[in-house]
Amino acid sequence: MIRSLLYVPGNTPRFLEKAGQRGADAVIIDLEDAVPEAAKTGAREMLARSVPMVAAGGGQVFVRVNMSDRLLDDAVAATQAGADALYLPKVNDVALLHRLAEHLAPFEGGRAPMGFVPLIEDPEGLFEARAIARGPRVLALSAGGEDLATSMGAKPTPEVLRQPKLMIHYAAKAAGVMSFGLFRSTADFSDTDAIRAAALEARDFGFDGASCIHPAVVPVLNAAFSPSPEELDWARRVVAASREEAAAGRGAFTLEGRFIDLPIVTRAERLLDRFDKDQA
């Protein structure tokens, strides 16, 4: 599971040194918005040291690259440094993913192919989300809430972000890839109660996890996107009962006063499967 993704500026050694120890399932080393133009080349050159340093903490390492004339050099540097995936901002056309995958292939050698997480950040990308989600190497989709709102001349309120984020989420799920996000901006990290509520809501909708910009939010996301002991216990009882009922020739049954049929059993099985994989 990837429940939490922590953004860290790629030009700040004191943050990078501790990033892998914050408990996030993935750390996003940011070469884009968090790094001033004059420091972007230096941050890219630091990837050879920063990626392995962050990876030593045990989580995955993603790199958010610049969607500019820096893109290819950023992507190659992240690939050669051993990052697991690229966070690709402002993607609005699946053709970009094909070109980037083709460009990176000669630099990958024996390593696993670099994964892609496209960020949908404007209306054009929003209406291309289904095609983008089915593009090469895509492991997840996410929305850039602040940029998306700005591109529409809107404010990044939960009401504004809900529909476009759901469209992106549905595109991800239709393609069988992960979906990251909350129905709110990540910029306000101080209200942990509101973040917890938003994360629980997003999980109810089927989101897999969310990004954050402060380490204090990481445990909030990890807890919200993890099944509770009560949920796991109920799922185990459902699966066990379904096997007994199936052996008796029944596909639907009641358990503790609740009606159980195939969709409910499937949800329980998927919950246990995700939890078991995470524990392994």
Side-chain angles (χ1 to χ4, degrees), residues 50-66:
S50 60
V51 169
M53 179 171 60
V54 173
Q60 296 191 52
V61 183
F62 299 165
V63 175
R64 181 162 73 168
V65 295
N66 292 280

Side-chain angles (χ1 to χ4, degrees), residues 11 30-33 35-47 63-79 86-89 96 100 103-104:
N11 65 325
D30 192 7
L31 304 183
E32 195 209 18
D33 287 348
V35 180
E37 184 64 34
K40 287 184 183 292
T41 298
R44 177 203 299 153
E45 294 171 348
M46 284 176 58
L47 291 176
V63 175
R64 181 162 73 168
V65 295
N66 292 280
M67 193 57 64
S68 66
D69 57 2
R70 294 181 174 275
L71 170 62
L72 297 182
D73 288 339
D74 286 354
V76 169
T79 300
L86 299 177
Y87 245 55
L88 297 167
L96 169 73
L100 186 57
H103 181 82
L104 290 179

